[in-house]
Amino acid sequence: MLYEEILTKAGLTTDQSKTYEVLLKNGVLPASKIALKVGLKRGLGYRVIEQLVTMGLVEKIDKKVALFAPNHPSKLTEMIQKKTGELKATESTLSGTLGPMISDYNMTMGKPNVRFFEGEEGIKKVLEDSLYSKEEILSYADITSIVKYIPKINEWYVEQRKRKGVKKRGILLETPESKKILSNYNKDVTDTRTIKLDTSPFQSIVQIYDGKVSHISLTDEVMIGIIIEDESLYKMQKALFEFTWSNANVISTNIKSTEGDEVAEADGAEK
Protein backbone atom coordinates (compact mmCIF):
# COMPACT_ATOMS: atom_id res chain seq x y z
CA MET A 1 0.00 0.00 0.00
CA LEU A 2 1.29 3.47 -0.93
CA TYR A 3 1.01 6.07 1.84
CA GLU A 4 2.28 9.05 -0.12
CA GLU A 5 -1.14 10.46 -1.03
CA ILE A 6 -2.59 10.35 2.50
CA LEU A 7 0.65 11.67 4.02
CA THR A 8 0.63 14.58 1.57
CA LYS A 9 -2.98 15.37 2.51
CA ALA A 10 -1.88 15.31 6.15
CA GLY A 11 0.48 18.18 5.39
CA LEU A 12 3.76 16.56 4.40
CA THR A 13 5.55 17.48 1.20
CA THR A 14 5.98 14.84 -1.50
CA ASP A 15 9.63 14.24 -0.53
CA GLN A 16 8.74 14.07 3.18
CA SER A 17 5.93 11.59 2.46
CA LYS A 18 8.19 9.31 0.37
CA THR A 19 10.95 9.44 2.98
CA TYR A 20 8.67 8.59 5.90
CA GLU A 21 7.09 5.76 3.89
CA VAL A 22 10.54 4.31 3.12
CA LEU A 23 11.36 4.29 6.83
CA LEU A 24 7.99 2.75 7.76
CA LYS A 25 8.59 -0.11 5.33
CA ASN A 26 12.34 -0.59 5.90
CA GLY A 27 12.97 0.37 9.51
CA VAL A 28 16.25 1.89 10.71
CA LEU A 29 18.47 3.18 7.90
CA PRO A 30 21.39 5.56 7.39
CA ALA A 31 20.64 8.79 5.53
CA SER A 32 22.52 7.69 2.41
CA LYS A 33 20.34 4.59 1.93
CA ILE A 34 17.15 6.55 2.63
CA ALA A 35 18.05 9.12 -0.03
CA LEU A 36 18.87 6.32 -2.48
CA LYS A 37 15.57 4.51 -1.93
CA VAL A 38 13.56 7.73 -2.17
CA GLY A 39 15.46 8.87 -5.25
CA LEU A 40 16.85 12.08 -3.82
CA LYS A 41 20.32 13.58 -4.03
CA ARG A 42 22.20 13.11 -0.76
CA GLY A 43 22.13 16.80 0.27
CA LEU A 44 18.39 17.12 -0.30
CA GLY A 45 17.80 13.75 1.36
CA TYR A 46 19.55 14.94 4.55
CA ARG A 47 17.47 18.14 4.63
CA VAL A 48 14.20 16.21 4.25
CA ILE A 49 15.19 13.76 7.00
CA GLU A 50 16.07 16.63 9.36
CA GLN A 51 12.69 18.21 8.62
CA LEU A 52 10.97 14.97 9.64
CA VAL A 53 13.07 14.83 12.81
CA THR A 54 11.96 18.37 13.67
CA MET A 55 8.34 17.37 13.02
CA GLY A 56 8.70 14.44 15.41
CA LEU A 57 8.03 11.79 12.75
CA VAL A 58 11.60 10.48 12.60
CA GLU A 59 14.09 9.75 15.37
CA LYS A 60 17.84 10.24 14.94
CA ILE A 61 19.98 7.51 16.49
CA ASP A 62 23.50 8.74 17.20
CA LYS A 63 26.03 6.14 16.10
CA LYS A 64 29.38 6.35 14.32
CA VAL A 65 27.18 6.64 11.26
CA ALA A 66 23.90 8.35 12.15
CA LEU A 67 20.83 6.16 11.74
CA PHE A 68 17.21 7.19 11.42
CA ALA A 69 14.08 5.38 12.55
CA PRO A 70 10.41 6.15 11.99
CA ASN A 71 8.39 7.24 15.01
CA HIS A 72 4.96 5.76 15.63
CA PRO A 73 2.37 6.84 13.00
CA SER A 74 0.18 8.19 15.81
CA LYS A 75 2.52 11.18 15.69
CA LEU A 76 0.68 12.13 12.51
CA THR A 77 -2.55 12.55 14.48
CA GLU A 78 -0.76 14.74 17.02
CA MET A 79 0.68 16.82 14.20
CA ILE A 80 -2.75 17.29 12.59
CA GLN A 81 -4.32 18.22 15.95
CA LYS A 82 -1.61 20.81 16.51
CA LYS A 83 -2.18 22.28 13.04
CA THR A 84 -5.94 22.31 13.67
CA GLY A 85 -5.38 24.31 16.86
CA GLU A 86 -3.10 26.73 15.03
CA LEU A 87 -5.67 27.15 12.26
CA LYS A 88 -8.43 27.88 14.78
CA ALA A 89 -6.23 30.50 16.43
CA THR A 90 -5.48 32.01 13.04
CA GLU A 91 -9.20 31.99 12.15
CA SER A 92 -9.98 33.83 15.39
CA THR A 93 -7.29 36.43 14.67
CA LEU A 94 -8.51 36.83 11.10
CA SER A 95 -12.09 37.28 12.28
CA GLY A 96 -10.98 40.27 14.32
CA THR A 97 -9.09 41.91 11.45
CA LEU A 98 -11.30 40.94 8.52
CA GLY A 99 -13.61 43.92 8.99
CA PRO A 100 -10.84 46.54 8.70
CA MET A 101 -9.29 44.61 5.78
CA ILE A 102 -12.61 44.63 3.91
CA SER A 103 -13.04 48.33 4.64
CA ASP A 104 -9.61 49.12 3.21
CA TYR A 105 -10.38 47.00 0.15
CA ASN A 106 -13.71 48.71 -0.45
CA MET A 107 -12.23 52.17 -0.02
CA THR A 108 -9.44 51.36 -2.47
CA MET A 109 -11.72 49.74 -5.03
CA GLY A 110 -14.61 52.16 -4.53
CA LYS A 111 -17.12 49.36 -3.98
CA PRO A 112 -19.98 49.49 -1.45
CA ASN A 113 -20.30 46.41 0.70
CA VAL A 114 -23.19 44.80 2.55
CA ARG A 115 -22.69 41.97 5.03
CA PHE A 116 -25.46 39.98 6.75
CA PHE A 117 -25.26 38.17 10.10
CA GLU A 118 -27.69 35.95 12.01
CA GLY A 119 -28.12 34.75 15.58
CA GLU A 120 -26.25 35.77 18.72
CA GLU A 121 -22.84 35.04 17.20
CA GLY A 122 -23.76 37.17 14.20
CA ILE A 123 -24.81 40.06 16.46
CA LYS A 124 -21.51 39.77 18.32
CA LYS A 125 -19.60 40.02 15.04
CA VAL A 126 -21.52 43.15 14.04
CA LEU A 127 -20.65 44.80 17.36
CA GLU A 128 -17.07 43.54 17.18
CA ASP A 129 -16.57 45.30 13.86
CA SER A 130 -17.13 48.67 15.55
CA LEU A 131 -14.41 47.96 18.12
CA TYR A 132 -11.89 48.82 15.40
CA SER A 133 -13.48 52.20 14.72
CA LYS A 134 -10.97 55.02 14.27
CA GLU A 135 -13.58 57.56 15.27
CA GLU A 136 -16.32 58.00 17.85
CA ILE A 137 -19.31 55.69 17.30
CA LEU A 138 -22.73 57.29 16.91
CA SER A 139 -25.63 55.10 17.96
CA TYR A 140 -29.39 54.83 18.31
CA ALA A 141 -30.26 52.02 20.70
CA ASP A 142 -33.26 50.35 22.33
CA ILE A 143 -32.04 49.56 25.84
CA THR A 144 -35.03 47.36 26.65
CA SER A 145 -34.21 44.97 23.80
CA ILE A 146 -30.50 44.98 24.64
CA VAL A 147 -31.19 43.96 28.23
CA LYS A 148 -33.77 41.37 27.17
CA TYR A 149 -31.98 39.67 24.27
CA ILE A 150 -28.21 40.23 24.44
CA PRO A 151 -27.19 41.19 28.01
CA LYS A 152 -24.05 39.02 28.07
CA ILE A 153 -22.92 40.11 24.62
CA ASN A 154 -23.48 43.73 25.60
CA GLU A 155 -21.46 43.34 28.80
CA TRP A 156 -18.61 41.93 26.71
CA TYR A 157 -18.95 44.75 24.18
CA VAL A 158 -18.91 47.47 26.84
CA GLU A 159 -15.81 45.99 28.48
CA GLN A 160 -14.04 45.74 25.12
CA ARG A 161 -14.84 49.36 24.31
CA LYS A 162 -13.53 50.43 27.71
CA ARG A 163 -10.35 48.43 27.20
CA LYS A 164 -9.77 49.83 23.71
CA GLY A 165 -10.93 53.34 24.58
CA VAL A 166 -13.58 53.36 21.84
CA LYS A 167 -15.98 56.19 22.65
CA LYS A 168 -19.63 56.45 21.71
CA ARG A 169 -22.50 58.90 21.72
CA GLY A 170 -25.89 57.25 22.02
CA ILE A 171 -29.48 58.41 21.60
CA LEU A 172 -32.24 56.50 23.41
CA LEU A 173 -36.00 56.77 23.70
CA GLU A 174 -36.92 58.36 27.02
CA THR A 175 -39.00 55.71 28.77
CA PRO A 176 -39.41 54.56 32.39
CA GLU A 177 -37.19 51.57 31.53
CA SER A 178 -34.41 53.72 30.05
CA LYS A 179 -34.54 56.08 33.06
CA LYS A 180 -34.19 53.12 35.38
CA ILE A 181 -31.18 51.76 33.50
CA LEU A 182 -29.54 55.16 33.12
CA SER A 183 -29.76 55.96 36.83
CA ASN A 184 -26.32 54.47 37.51
CA TYR A 185 -24.61 55.03 34.17
CA ASN A 186 -21.26 56.74 33.81
CA LYS A 187 -19.47 58.45 30.97
CA ASP A 188 -16.25 56.47 30.74
CA VAL A 189 -16.69 55.74 27.05
CA THR A 190 -20.35 56.63 26.41
CA ASP A 191 -22.26 59.90 26.38
CA THR A 192 -26.02 59.42 26.17
CA ARG A 193 -29.02 61.65 25.47
CA THR A 194 -32.71 60.84 25.20
CA ILE A 195 -35.60 61.83 22.95
CA LYS A 196 -39.32 61.77 23.69
CA LEU A 197 -41.43 60.07 21.04
CA ASP A 198 -44.90 58.61 21.33
CA THR A 199 -43.94 55.22 19.95
CA SER A 200 -43.23 51.69 21.07
CA PRO A 201 -39.58 50.52 21.50
CA PHE A 202 -37.78 50.12 18.17
CA GLN A 203 -36.23 46.73 19.07
CA SER A 204 -33.13 47.65 17.13
CA ILE A 205 -29.69 49.25 17.27
CA VAL A 206 -28.08 51.51 14.66
CA GLN A 207 -24.39 52.38 14.77
CA ILE A 208 -22.57 54.89 12.55
CA TYR A 209 -18.77 54.80 12.28
CA ASP A 210 -15.83 54.72 9.85
CA GLY A 211 -17.91 55.07 6.69
CA LYS A 212 -20.29 52.32 7.84
CA VAL A 213 -23.82 52.00 9.15
CA SER A 214 -24.73 48.85 11.05
CA HIS A 215 -28.27 47.72 11.88
CA ILE A 216 -29.24 45.12 14.48
CA SER A 217 -32.80 43.80 14.92
CA LEU A 218 -33.72 42.11 18.21
CA THR A 219 -37.10 40.40 18.50
CA ASP A 220 -38.49 37.02 19.57
CA GLU A 221 -38.65 35.97 15.92
CA VAL A 222 -35.60 37.68 14.42
CA MET A 223 -32.03 38.34 15.52
CA ILE A 224 -30.10 39.71 12.56
CA GLY A 225 -27.38 42.24 11.86
CA ILE A 226 -26.29 44.14 8.76
CA ILE A 227 -23.16 46.18 8.11
CA ILE A 228 -23.37 48.56 5.16
CA GLU A 229 -20.21 50.28 3.96
CA ASP A 230 -21.18 53.23 1.81
CA GLU A 231 -19.79 56.76 2.19
CA SER A 232 -22.95 58.54 1.04
CA LEU A 233 -25.21 56.59 3.40
CA TYR A 234 -22.72 57.08 6.22
CA LYS A 235 -22.58 60.87 5.70
CA MET A 236 -26.37 61.18 5.57
CA GLN A 237 -26.90 59.09 8.73
CA LYS A 238 -24.14 60.98 10.55
CA ALA A 239 -25.74 64.36 9.67
CA LEU A 240 -29.16 63.15 10.83
CA PHE A 241 -27.66 61.88 14.08
CA GLU A 242 -25.92 65.19 14.77
CA PHE A 243 -29.18 67.07 14.20
CA THR A 244 -31.06 64.74 16.52
CA TRP A 245 -28.28 64.90 19.11
CA SER A 246 -28.37 68.72 19.18
CA ASN A 247 -32.10 68.57 19.95
CA ALA A 248 -32.01 65.61 22.37
CA ASN A 249 -32.34 65.84 26.14
CA VAL A 250 -29.14 65.93 28.17
CA ILE A 251 -29.29 63.37 30.97
CA SER A 252 -29.01 64.78 34.46
CA THR A 253 -26.32 63.21 36.62
CA ASN A 254 -28.82 63.27 39.46
CA ILE A 255 -31.28 60.82 37.87
CA LYS A 256 -32.37 58.23 40.42
CA SER A 257 -34.36 55.08 39.93
CA THR A 258 -37.81 55.26 41.52
CA GLU A 259 -37.95 51.50 41.74
CA GLY A 260 -34.98 51.06 44.04
CA ASP A 261 -34.04 47.93 42.09
CA GLU A 262 -30.57 46.91 40.99
CA VAL A 263 -30.01 48.56 37.60
CA ALA A 264 -28.98 46.38 34.67
CA GLU A 265 -25.97 47.47 32.61
CA ALA A 266 -26.60 48.31 28.99
CA ASP A 267 -24.43 49.86 26.33
CA GLY A 268 -24.91 53.58 26.43
CA ALA A 269 -25.93 53.10 30.05
CA GLU A 270 -23.04 51.49 31.82
CA LYS A 271 -22.60 51.08 35.50
Side-chain angles (χ1 to χ4, degrees):
M1 180 178 180
L2 297 176
Y3 303 133
E4 182 183 339
E5 183 178 355
I6 189 65
L7 290 171
T8 302
K9 287 182 179 179
L12 276 64
T13 67
T14 299
D15 289 340
Q16 290 170 348
S17 300
K18 290 179 178 178
T19 300
Y20 185 61
E21 183 172 351
V22 162
L23 284 168
L24 283 175
K25 293 182 175 180
N26 293 274
V28 180
L29 291 172
S32 57
K33 287 191 176 180
I34 296 171
L36 183 65
K37 288 181 176 292
V38 176
L40 298 175
K41 291 183 179 180
R42 182 173 296 185
L44 178 57
Y46 274 106
R47 286 198 296 274
V48 172
I49 293 167
E50 288 300 329
Q51 290 167 0
L52 292 172
V53 170
T54 301
M55 295 165 70
L57 293 175
V58 169
E59 180 184 0
K60 184 177 181 180
I61 303 170
D62 289 321
K63 298 282 187 181
K64 186 174 181 180
V65 176
L67 300 174
F68 298 90
N71 279 328
H72 196 281
S74 62
K75 287 286 184 180
L76 288 164
T77 301
E78 295 176 15
M79 184 181 73
I80 291 171
Q81 289 173 343
K82 182 180 178 181
K83 285 188 175 183
T84 300
E86 291 172 351
L87 284 172
K88 286 183 178 179
T90 301
E91 182 182 17
S92 178
T93 302
L94 178 61
S95 177
T97 57
L98 194 58
M101 289 171 66
I102 292 173
S103 295
D104 289 341
Y105 169 79
N106 289 328
M107 288 182 66
T108 302
M109 302 303 292
K111 295 180 178 179
N113 181 55
V114 180
R115 288 177 282 160
F116 295 87
F117 304 84
E118 292 185 292
E120 289 191 6
E121 280 303 309
I123 299 306
K124 187 174 182 179
K125 288 180 180 178
V126 173
L127 293 173
E128 184 178 27
D129 185 79
S130 68
L131 293 175
Y132 299 91
S133 178
K134 299 174 184 177
E135 62 184 29
E136 182 182 47
I137 300 168
L138 309 178
S139 176
Y140 301 97
D142 176 12
I143 285 185
T144 305
S145 294
I146 289 172
V147 171
K148 180 178 180 181
Y149 294 106
I150 54 169
K152 295 296 184 183
I153 292 176
N154 185 67
E155 287 176 13
W156 166 83
Y157 180 58
V158 171
E159 287 304 314
Q160 290 299 309
R161 285 203 303 111
K162 286 180 179 179
R163 186 173 65 83
K164 293 175 178 288
V166 179
K167 295 190 175 182
K168 174 191 282 191
R169 279 186 287 151
I171 297 175
L172 316 173
L173 282 180
E174 187 171 311
T175 65
E177 179 71 13
S178 66
K179 285 183 177 181
K180 177 182 175 182
I181 294 172
L182 291 173
S183 63
N184 285 351
Y185 98 115
N186 64 57
K187 296 185 177 181
D188 284 350
V189 289
T190 306
D191 190 8
T192 307
R193 293 184 181 182
T194 62
I195 55 175
K196 289 184 178 181
L197 289 176
D198 186 16
T199 183
S200 57
F202 295 122
Q203 295 186 294
S204 61
I205 304 166
V206 175
Q207 302 212 110
I208 305 157
Y209 60 95
D210 281 359
K212 307 174 188 178
V213 179
S214 70
H215 296 259
I216 293 173
S217 293
L218 300 170
T219 70
D220 290 333
E221 295 77 25
V222 176
M223 191 175 289
I224 60 172
I226 304 170
I227 300 176
I228 304 171
E229 298 181 58
D230 181 83
E231 194 66 22
S232 297
L233 180 61
Y234 161 76
K235 288 179 178 178
M236 180 184 74
Q237 291 291 341
K238 185 174 182 179
L240 290 171
F241 179 93
E242 294 293 0
F243 175 80
T244 307
W245 178 265
S246 66
N247 291 280
N249 301 317
V250 177
I251 298 173
S252 170
T253 56
N254 295 320
I255 291 177
K256 296 294 181 183
S257 172
T258 57
E259 301 294 330
D261 297 336
E262 181 180 353
V263 179
E265 179 178 358
D267 192 30
E270 298 135 271
K271 290 181 181 178

